[in-house]
Amino acid sequence: MELQASYIQIVALALFTIGLAVTLTRRNVFFVLMGIELALNAVNLSLIGFAKTLPAAASVAGQILPLFTIAVAAAEACVGLAMIILIFKSQESVDIDNYSNMKG
Amino acid sequence: MIPLWLIPLFPLVGTIVLAIIALSSSDSKQGPAESITGAVAVLFPILSFLSVVTLSVGMPVEGIRGTIGTWIDTAAIQVNIGFLFDGLSRVMLLFITGIGSLIAIYSVGYMHKDRSFARFFAYINLFLFSMTILVLGDSLLLTFLGWEGVGLCSYLLIGFWHTDLKNTKAGNKAFIVNRVGDVGFLLGMLCLVSIGGSALLSYDALNAWLLNALSLGSISNAMPLLSLAGLLFFFGCTGKSAQIPLLTWLPDAMAGPTPVSALIHAATMVTSGVYLLARLSNLFVLIPAVLNIVLFVGLLTAFWAAIAGLFQNDIKKVLAYSTISQLGYMFMAAGVAAFDVSIFHVFTHAFFKAALFLGAGAVIHSLTGEQDMRRMGGLLKKMPLTSLVMIFGFLAIIGFPGFAGFWSKDLILERLYVSGPMGPYVYAIALLTAVITAVYMGRLIIMTFFGKYRGSKENEAHIHEAPASMLIPMLLLSVGSAFAGFLWAGLIPGAEFFREMLAPVVGAAQSYAMLGHTAAHLSPWIFAALGTLAAIIGMLIAWYLFMRPVPEAKGGSEPQGFGASWTFAFDKLHEYVGIIPTKVVAWLLDVVVNTIIMKAQWLTGGIIEILGDGIRAFQVRKVRLQAALSFIGMALITILVLIYGGLL
Amino acid sequence: MLALIYFIILGVIAVGSALCVLLSRHPLYGALSLVVSMVSLAGIYGLLGSPFVGVVQIMVYAGAIMMLLTFVIMVLNGARDSKTPMFDKVSLFVFPAILLLAALLGFALISTPLAFNAETLRGSVALTSETLFNTNNKGPGYFLLFEVIGLLLLSAMIAAVLLAKKNLGSKETEEITEVH
């Protein structure tokens, strides 16, 4: 038994699914944010896993792209938390169902 | 050697400075200080004139060329900004900047105490800039830039006193009619581009290409397109130079200030059509059919406008129709491939017509805006110097021996006679037109300066000679209209300076056109004698017809009866050919847009609104649930992909 | 063989702590579980030959981002309305949808042949820096992306400052300052 390339993808898929579930089912806004981070991590893992299946020149992209993903995630967390603070000030709640202003 | 771009640069700088002055003083009640503004306004045209003179003195025979950069650089079109200073542009520039400077000086006196003093001179400088670009450009595209620029300035200056609706309408008319002609110019350029690419837009390249094609014998392939191009360029010229059919704007253009009429609508801008014909002489001599059209249109215009001039009561309108008529002479000359003679007539005409207009301006100025000749008369004693200027201009335009118009008109008539089998008939009509010219110009002089004063009492009290700033340019121009003709006096052996000057530009074309013609051997003295006779007969008719009391003026200065229907014949034609069909199409489009398309829009909008109201009932309120539903959608798409990807 | 064992250990930790995030009631516990998950992911990166990404993962993700999140949770007292049910009726729709999607993707993954490539380069610091800062005209051009990311971070910072600030210039602020 050796480590197979598809194992990595399966772990990544599991993590992504859990991240998605956290984002969509939990009503606490911090969990929503954490779910997004988890999903991003899963994508990073997937990228690195796929990079391992490519020949030398092509695989470099898989090593570089996670760095950018991490940077974007940092920016996203930064803005997201600022928005949470802003909304929290007016709503006094961390329940996203209370945030919903999209009622038709 | 000073660079060529200085010539247009000076008026451009003048425009900018004057525009700044005009804008910065727009809030003050007084307006800018006239001394400073006037000095700036006169300085830059004079500087430009001086640079032209400096360049003219040392010009080599083949001309000076200068490129200052790339203008358009695309795959389809490459055009440089280049200037070409040769015999033709030298002549044009000399009188454009020279007369432009004189008229700028004159305007300082004429526009005295006008609130928009600085704006006026900004426009004048902008006009001189555009006109120098038009004449200096070494490619058709640059000439077109100047062509549009002078059209714009013409529009701005005709409607200069824009608080009067009549002036604004006249400006619009001039602009729109000119646009119709400009379409011809643009399409002509496109024809040339489709023949040989954008390189042919440059005059030098066009001439070289034509010469090459002629020697290879391959010219006949391009002949249909070349003829079309020539016809379209000529159509453009009819717009700018007020020839049939696009001539109705010029009489209306007299709504502008008189110096503008003198500079733009008599001396310079309207002759740019003749300039273009001469510049493209190598093209036009290859298409004799188009040249015949030019000849015919010129003849018709000259004759029609001369008769229309007989019926006008407005002093400036008479001069406007005489301008159209003289432009007809120039086109006639170009039509028989006598381009040097037509440019020579442009040159002399610039002097005497500017003198006439400036004299008329002085008369109008001293009568505080009265333009109806029926309310003038007897001004000879009150304004002797102005009368002298006007009479000099009069003698020049009717071709009195020795004056400028005599030499140029005589040459045109002579070339018409020897041009071919049709020559004598054309000559006869042109000579008849010369008689009519003498009649209507004699009428103008008699009604204005002879007889008794017929105007209002309050105007009579302060009739005065114009101030020095107006008189000096007038006197200089009258000297020009007396002696400018000696630059090419056909009767005096050796006095052919003008022809030699233009020979490098149009000489080859003219000798090509003359191939196969046997020049008739008639003594030039016969033509001169016939021309003089025409002038004298015309003067005598005018003396007999108009040296009598004039009936009291009633109503406006518009001609009545037959005169009106003759004068406005082409306005009516435009109305039936251009305006009414356009209005019908516009009405139809209005119906289509307003009723049919609008109804369709309302219907579509209504349907969507009802649908939207229905669908709103299904909308899910929770964002999370919406996301979940969209994931189900994504899953469905994944299934589709798996099926068609061959995995299921 | 050894790699597989390590991978299984790290993967189980990562997935398990991710499940802890899903099932924990208090956001602080969730955040700490998430840190564990990320650290183990960093281990997997190292195992797969990308040590640089792994280190960045620990420093930026587990370090900076999660610390910031934890800090905000504590500041806002995120457990304030933890009495709300963890899962509600919406979850009944959400779980099947996600599981359906995951099943389909997993099926697609399994039925696609994937194999490690022997030539793959190790994602070392040297390789990363050479690729990232290759300003050669014919190079990959990542340096441009790098600059853009810098701009993005800057704008995110400014946006965060502006959002989280007391709304300056509004009437309420002025009234408050007057009162004080």
Side-chain angles (χ1 to χ4, degrees):
Chain A
M1 285 283 278
E2 276 299 322
L3 179 56
Q4 297 294 312
S6 54
Y7 296 174
I8 302 167
Q9 301 305 328
I10 288 169
V11 170
L13 179 62
L15 282 175
F16 183 78
T17 312
I18 294 171
L20 216 55
V22 172
T23 309
L24 291 183
T25 55
R26 300 302 300 262
R27 285 167 61 174
N28 191 315
V29 70
F30 294 109
F31 278 105
V32 174
L33 213 58
M34 284 191 275
I36 294 170
E37 300 292 346
L38 199 53
L40 279 168
N41 265 300
V43 172
N44 278 354
L45 180 60
S46 174
L47 279 171
I48 289 191
F50 277 124
K52 292 284 135 186
T53 66
L54 292 173
S59 73
V60 177
Q63 309 283 359
I64 299 294
L65 209 52
L67 295 176
F68 291 124
T69 319
I70 291 173
V72 172
E76 171 254 321
C78 177
V79 177
L81 286 172
M83 279 168 69
I84 289 175
I85 292 175
L86 189 68
I87 299 172
F88 187 82
K89 269 187 210 156
S90 62
Q91 302 280 335
E92 290 289 326
S93 163
V94 289
D95 187 350
I96 51 162
D97 279 7
N98 291 342
Y99 292 177
S100 171
N101 284 326
M102 284 179 69
K103 287 178 178 141
Chain B
M1 186 59 73
I2 58 174
L4 281 179
W5 45 261
L6 271 184
I7 302 172
L9 182 72
F10 282 128
L12 185 63
V13 173
T15 309
I16 293 166
V17 172
L18 286 163
I20 291 169
I21 292 177
L23 286 176
S24 61
S25 67
S26 61
D27 292 335
S28 71
K29 211 167 235 170
Q30 289 289 314
E34 285 190 9
S35 51
I36 300 170
T37 315
V40 171
V42 172
L43 175 70
F44 285 102
I46 288 180
L47 281 175
S48 181
F49 176 62
L50 289 179
S51 43
V52 174
V53 170
T54 318
L55 276 167
S56 300
V57 171
M59 189 194 86
V61 176
E62 70 279 4
I64 308 168
R65 283 158 179 78
T67 305
I68 61 173
T70 307
W71 182 11
I72 300 172
D73 186 13
T74 61
I77 294 179
Q78 290 103 21
V79 184
N80 288 334
I81 303 181
F83 295 132
L84 167 60
F85 188 83
D86 59 2
L88 181 57
S89 27
R90 173 166 66 171
V91 173
M92 297 293 289
L93 282 173
L94 274 174
F95 80 79
I96 288 165
T97 53
I99 293 183
S101 310
L102 285 180
I103 289 177
I105 296 169
Y106 176 92
S107 309
V108 173
Y110 191 86
M111 301 302 288
H112 177 57
K113 282 191 180 160
D114 194 290
R115 176 62 189 78
S116 307
F117 196 76
R119 183 164 64 95
F120 178 82
F121 285 105
Y123 291 163
I124 289 280
N125 272 278
L126 182 61
F127 169 77
L128 285 175
F129 165 71
S130 311
M131 194 70 205
T132 45
I133 288 283
L134 193 161
V135 176
L136 257 185
D138 78 337
S139 68
L140 278 162
L141 209 57
L142 202 55
T143 297
F144 188 66
L145 179 74
W147 190 272
E148 294 293 313
V150 293
L152 171 71
C153 296
S154 164
Y155 161 76
L156 290 172
L157 284 165
I158 292 169
F160 180 71
W161 289 311
H162 52 76
T163 47
D164 192 343
L165 183 64
K166 185 170 66 71
N167 298 345
T168 319
K169 276 187 172 170
N172 282 343
K173 185 173 176 181
F175 199 65
I176 292 165
V177 174
N178 265 307
R179 285 291 78 69
V180 176
D182 291 344
V183 172
F185 197 126
L186 264 178
L187 292 178
M189 286 199 288
L190 282 182
C191 280
L192 284 186
V193 170
S194 68
I195 293 172
S198 64
L200 285 196
L201 290 178
S202 159
Y203 296 124
D204 286 334
L206 177 65
N207 291 341
W209 185 86
L210 287 172
L211 202 63
N212 187 34
L214 203 60
S215 63
L216 290 178
S218 61
I219 193 91
S220 56
N221 300 333
M223 217 40 148
L225 264 179
L226 278 182
S227 309
L228 185 61
L231 199 61
L232 288 167
F233 280 127
F234 171 62
F235 188 65
C237 295
T238 60
K240 193 60 82 189
S241 293
Q243 297 293 297
I244 291 171
L246 299 177
L247 77 184
T248 55
W249 64 271
L250 188 56
D252 286 21
M254 296 301 129
T258 308
V260 171
S261 310
L263 176 63
I264 301 185
H265 305 118
T268 52
M269 183 189 87
V270 287
T271 59
S272 51
V274 186
Y275 165 78
L276 189 68
L277 290 185
R279 187 49 96 189
L280 297 175
S281 53
N282 290 333
L283 168 67
F284 276 102
V285 290
L286 295 177
I287 38 179
V290 176
L291 272 190
N292 283 337
I293 295 173
V294 176
L295 170 65
F296 182 68
V297 166
L299 185 67
L300 213 59
T301 312
F303 186 71
W304 177 84
I307 292 186
L310 279 175
F311 306 122
Q312 308 301 320
N313 295 321
D314 187 324
I315 186 168
K316 286 178 73 179
K317 289 255 166 94
V318 179
L319 291 175
Y321 279 103
S322 90
T323 305
I324 298 176
S325 181
Q326 297 300 314
L327 286 166
Y329 272 107
M330 297 164 201
F331 274 73
M332 270 193 269
V336 295
F339 298 104
D340 48 359
V341 179
S342 75
I343 292 295
F344 185 49
H345 197 55
V346 167
F347 181 71
T348 56
H349 174 257
F351 282 100
F352 60 71
K353 189 50 66 65
L356 281 167
F357 261 114
L358 294 189
V363 169
I364 295 166
H365 194 65
S366 79
L367 292 178
T368 55
E370 181 59 62
Q371 299 195 7
D372 195 333
M373 292 192 299
R374 291 171 300 180
R375 299 198 180 86
M376 297 176 184
L379 298 179
L380 183 64
K381 282 175 193 142
K382 286 169 178 141
M383 309 174 67
L385 279 173
T386 308
S387 322
L388 185 74
V389 170
M390 288 284 274
I391 288 169
F392 266 49
F394 162 71
L395 291 175
I397 194 173
I398 66 169
F400 197 79
F403 285 85
F406 170 74
W407 304 109
S408 53
K409 199 183 274 185
D410 188 46
L411 279 168
I412 291 178
L413 293 172
E414 188 182 332
R415 295 288 180 95
L416 287 177
Y417 188 84
V418 301
S419 64
M422 289 294 290
Y425 305 105
V426 175
Y427 174 79
I429 299 176
L431 200 63
L432 179 63
T433 310
V435 176
I436 303 171
T437 307
V439 176
Y440 71 74
M441 287 309 294
R443 175 170 173 268
L444 183 146
I445 295 292
I446 289 168
M447 285 181 81
T448 311
F449 293 110
F450 294 89
K452 275 198 293 193
Y453 179 70
R454 299 177 295 273
S456 61
K457 284 277 178 288
E458 59 264 34
N459 276 349
E460 190 176 10
H462 53 79
I463 295 176
H464 56 278
E465 198 66 80
S469 67
M470 290 164 71
L471 267 182
I472 292 168
M474 281 159 62
L475 290 172
L476 284 175
L477 283 171
S478 70
V479 171
S481 52
F483 298 112
F486 287 101
L487 288 175
W488 187 1
L491 299 177
I492 306 170
E496 289 198 325
F497 173 70
F498 207 89
R499 192 183 66 78
E500 286 155 9
M501 214 156 70
L502 287 178
V505 185
V506 297
Q510 286 182 193
S511 52
Y512 177 83
M514 281 321 211
L515 281 181
H517 279 284
T518 47
H521 288 292
L522 277 175
S523 165
W525 290 97
I526 296 177
F527 294 111
L530 281 173
T532 313
L533 197 64
I536 290 171
I537 289 175
M539 279 200 284
L540 288 177
I541 294 174
W543 184 267
Y544 174 74
L545 282 179
F546 302 115
M547 215 39 194
R548 58 182 67 183
V550 179
E552 182 140 351
K554 289 190 203 86
S557 61
E558 297 293 314
Q560 306 291 327
F562 172 72
S565 56
W566 183 273
T567 304
F568 299 119
F570 285 95
D571 280 307
K572 285 267 176 269
L573 187 75
H574 283 191
E575 187 159 355
Y576 289 121
V577 174
I579 297 172
I580 289 179
T582 313
K583 277 187 174 168
V584 168
V585 171
W587 178 79
L588 279 175
L589 287 179
D590 185 48
V591 167
V592 168
V593 170
N594 263 348
T595 54
I596 300 173
I597 294 182
M598 286 290 271
K599 288 272 156 53
Q601 282 177 351
W602 281 114
L603 200 64
T604 320
I607 291 171
I608 301 292
E609 205 174 329
I610 292 167
L611 281 178
D613 280 348
I615 289 172
R616 198 160 69 181
F618 297 99
Q619 196 188 355
V620 179
R621 289 193 174 177
K622 284 210 185 341
V623 181
R624 291 183 295 144
L625 196 53
Q626 287 177 1
L629 291 177
S630 77
F631 277 114
I632 292 177
M634 248 164 81
L636 291 178
I637 293 172
T638 314
I639 290 172
L640 276 180
V641 171
L642 288 176
I643 290 171
Y644 288 102
L647 290 175
L648 279 182
Chain C
M1 189 63 197
L2 202 57
L4 183 63
I5 293 171
Y6 282 139
F7 178 75
I8 289 172
I9 294 171
L10 287 168
V12 165
I13 295 175
V15 176
S17 52
L19 279 173
C20 282
V21 176
L22 178 64
L23 299 175
S24 62
R25 174 168 287 275
H26 197 288
L28 209 50
Y29 297 157
L32 292 175
S33 315
L34 193 56
V35 172
V36 172
S37 174
M38 282 170 177
V39 171
S40 56
L41 271 179
I44 295 180
Y45 294 157
L47 186 68
L48 290 176
S50 306
F52 184 66
V53 181
V55 171
V56 170
Q57 166 92 0
I58 291 178
M59 273 164 46
V60 178
Y61 247 129
I65 298 178
M66 291 318 295
M67 194 220 69
L68 185 64
L69 192 66
T70 319
F71 177 71
V72 174
I73 291 169
M74 293 199 287
V75 164
L76 296 188
N77 190 9
R80 178 178 299 215
D81 44 12
S82 56
K83 298 224 169 51
T84 50
M86 279 172 62
F87 303 105
D88 55 5
K89 275 182 283 180
V90 177
S91 310
L92 293 178
F93 288 93
V94 175
F95 275 121
I98 293 170
L99 288 177
L100 175 64
L101 190 68
L104 282 165
L105 285 176
F107 174 74
L109 265 177
I110 290 166
S111 40
T112 314
L114 271 181
F116 284 126
N117 194 310
E119 297 171 13
T120 303
L121 297 176
R122 192 176 148 79
S124 62
V125 180
L127 177 76
T128 311
S129 62
E130 270 164 24
T131 320
L132 200 55
F133 302 116
N134 183 356
T135 52
N136 191 349
N137 221 358
K138 285 169 185 160
Y142 287 117
F143 67 96
L144 194 67
L145 270 177
F146 191 77
E147 299 292 327
V148 173
I149 286 288
L151 269 181
L152 177 74
L153 284 172
L154 176 67
S155 55
M157 190 183 78
I158 293 170
V161 169
L162 280 179
L163 282 174
K165 224 173 189 175
K166 277 183 183 168
N167 27 355
L168 283 177
S170 72
K171 274 186 180 166
E172 289 175 19
T173 337
E174 281 165 17
E175 280 164 13
I176 291 166
T177 43
E178 275 167 23
V179 168
H180 288 289

